[in-house]
Amino acid sequence: MRSRVFTRTCFPPVSKSAGRALLFLALGTLPLAGQYGDARRGAELIQRRNCTLCHSIRGAGGALAPDLSRRSTKEFTPTTMAAAMWNHGPAMWRAMAAKNLEVPPLGTTDMADLWAYFYSIRYFDKAGDAARGKTVFSATRCSTCHALTPAEGQGRPGPPVSQWPALADRIRWTEHMWNHAGPMQAEMQKRGIPWPTFTLQEMVDLLVYLRNLPTKPDQLPSLVFEDPEAGEKLFRDRGCIRCHTTGAAERDKIDLIGAARDSRTFTELGVRMWNHLPQMRRRAAETQTDFPTFSSNEMSQLIAFLFAKRYFEEKGQPGRGNRVFGSRKCGACHDQPGSPAPSLKSKEGQFSAPQMASAVWQHGPKMLQEMEKRKTRWPNFTGPEMADLIAFLNKH
């Protein structure tokens, strides 16, 4: 059944601070069996589960657990967050027991919804700095063509920043950037301005600066993620397959899945697309291919297709995962005669970050009791170890 993958994020009718609260749960890349997360449901789930009794965001909410807006500088990926949930699960369950709170069962769909909510508020992005973004805006000579307001924009060819759409929606921002690249490049060549390239941090800083200008209305973060089947058709019909594959190695083509190691967020994908736009336009001219543009929800459909192909998922190595499986003594309980632990065999391709997060949330308290009875240490993981373990289990 086709369905919208992410609905536009909007917070339920609760207090502003509660509506923006975060839950430190491990979320994932794609849920199983073609199910996709819904950011709106994720926001509502946070309210139903009373997460803000312990957690806060920007100082609003509970004080027993960390303020989740104050993230460390360590890189975050879905598998890193899945690992964090495993690592901190026992402490969370004990804290909930002390407050007489029941540990609610959260399925893979719940985890995907929570993950979608996190993604919609850009939790996976690096922290940005508006002051640095202002410097980027000037250093890359954006101000040569774009003023901040219409009153300042007399004689400049580009629209003023106050009229730029979609700064709160990474997918629409990417679409807008892509569609206007041709006229922008022509104008820059006429003015002798080199095509600017960005690092991920520079782009994040730039977007933070632009979103926080006084001329821009406050926008709730939003994320619309459409039908991946329609995205696959677009990938073929717009000629993307002439230069790219999605998982297969072909001569003179770039495998997008294999090249995705540096693109774990929408912002990273947007940066890569921006930096390579001149080369892509040259390639289109050389092959006499029309350079594609996207309308309405098409960019969202295309990115949904990349998600379905696991473009944004951190890749693990099964061999390393086998060592993680052994060092954490997972085999002491799983697939052992008479053990209450479920079998992990014959489930190729069924494991993912949301599934692992759901498993520990639903079964973790009982696992902890059993491990304490056996005097077995609770397993901790790093993000890469979790990715390796998932890769191993999918081939186990």
Side-chain angles (χ1 to χ4, degrees):
M1 180 178 70
R2 296 185 180 187
S3 62
R4 293 173 71 88
V5 181
F6 289 120
T7 60
R8 185 169 300 280
T9 302
C10 63
F11 300 100
V14 294
S15 68
K16 185 175 181 180
S17 60
R20 294 178 181 270
L22 301 178
L23 172 66
F24 191 39
L25 291 178
L27 311 173
T29 48
L30 276 179
L32 304 177
Q35 296 177 337
Y36 298 87
D38 184 310
R40 180 182 299 170
R41 289 198 308 256
E44 293 170 348
L45 187 62
I46 286 174
Q47 305 309 310
R48 292 200 308 272
R49 300 307 193 202
N50 295 317
C51 306
T52 53
L53 290 177
C54 295
H55 288 280
S56 61
I57 178 70
R58 298 190 183 106
L64 294 177
D67 184 323
L68 296 173
S69 64
R70 296 169 185 162
R71 294 168 16 200
S72 74
T73 56
K74 186 168 63 174
E75 292 296 326
F76 277 88
T77 65
T79 48
T80 299
M81 296 189 72
M85 184 171 184
W86 276 81
N87 298 347
H88 296 288
M92 287 193 288
W93 302 324
R94 293 187 185 106
M96 295 178 74
K99 294 178 71 68
N100 294 319
L101 294 174
E102 182 181 355
V103 178
L106 295 171
T108 53
T109 299
D110 294 325
M111 289 297 174
D113 290 341
L114 289 168
W115 175 85
Y117 173 63
F118 270 75
Y119 225 125
S120 73
I121 57 175
R122 297 177 291 274
Y123 184 75
F124 292 100
D125 268 335
K126 289 174 176 286
D129 182 272
R132 291 199 306 258
K134 183 178 181 180
T135 300
V136 171
F137 187 79
S138 175
T140 53
R141 300 178 67 179
C142 301
S143 56
T144 301
C145 296
H146 299 282
L148 299 182
T149 66
E152 300 170 352
Q154 299 298 324
R156 302 192 200 189
V161 174
S162 60
Q163 296 177 0
W164 290 7
L167 287 175
D169 186 328
R170 288 295 196 262
I171 295 179
R172 288 186 61 215
W173 165 256
T174 302
E175 178 181 279
H176 183 75
M177 172 193 73
W178 180 275
N179 288 343
H180 289 82
M184 287 176 60
Q185 188 178 25
E187 183 66 29
M188 294 173 75
Q189 288 175 342
K190 184 169 65 176
R191 291 171 175 257
I193 301 174
W195 185 260
T197 59
F198 299 88
T199 65
L200 171 60
Q201 187 65 68
E202 287 171 339
M203 181 62 78
V204 173
D205 291 338
L206 177 62
L207 289 172
V208 169
Y209 167 62
L210 297 178
R211 283 200 315 269
N212 286 281
L213 288 171
T215 55
K216 292 296 293 180
D218 184 31
Q219 296 174 301
L220 287 177
S222 59
L223 186 62
V224 179
F225 204 27
E226 302 287 346
D227 182 3
E229 293 181 21
E232 183 175 14
K233 185 175 184 299
L234 275 172
F235 192 80
R236 295 193 307 268
D237 294 349
R238 296 300 170 83
C240 305
I241 58 173
R242 293 190 179 94
C243 300
H244 297 290
T245 64
T246 54
E250 293 186 24
R251 185 178 179 181
D252 297 328
K253 290 187 179 182
I254 297 175
D255 173 20
L256 293 179
I257 308 305
R261 293 182 180 87
D262 297 325
S263 299
R264 297 292 170 221
T265 68
F266 293 130
T267 308
E268 288 174 292
L269 174 62
V271 167
R272 288 172 67 90
M273 292 174 67
W274 174 272
N275 289 345
H276 291 284
L277 266 167
Q279 295 94 309
M280 287 189 280
R281 292 186 66 83
R282 282 198 298 271
R283 178 68 182 271
E286 291 167 358
T287 58
Q288 297 183 335
T289 303
D290 291 335
F291 191 76
T293 58
F294 300 92
S295 60
S296 186
N297 299 322
E298 289 180 338
M299 179 64 78
S300 184
Q301 292 169 355
L302 186 61
I303 292 180
F305 167 62
L306 292 179
F307 255 90
K309 300 295 287 188
R310 296 182 182 268
Y311 177 89
F312 295 90
E313 184 171 349
E314 187 173 13
K315 305 298 189 298
Q317 296 296 324
R320 293 199 303 253
N322 187 14
R323 292 191 289 273
V324 173
F325 187 86
S327 66
R328 302 312 193 272
K329 302 186 184 304
C330 305
C333 295
H334 292 282
D335 296 302
Q336 294 297 323
S339 173
S343 173
L344 301 178
K345 293 182 178 179
S346 303
K347 296 182 179 180
E348 182 175 348
Q350 295 188 31
F351 293 92
S352 65
Q355 192 275 341
M356 296 295 283
S358 173
V360 74
W361 193 253
Q362 296 198 78
H363 307 295
K366 291 183 179 179
M367 286 176 56
L368 182 61
Q369 291 178 5
E370 183 67 24
M371 295 180 74
E372 288 176 339
K373 187 190 307 181
R374 294 172 178 240
K375 297 183 178 179
T376 303
R377 180 180 298 178
W378 180 262
N380 284 354
F381 303 93
T382 65
E385 285 174 337
M386 179 61 72
D388 291 337
L389 180 61
I390 291 171
F392 167 69
L393 294 176
N394 280 328
K395 293 185 176 296
H396 185 45

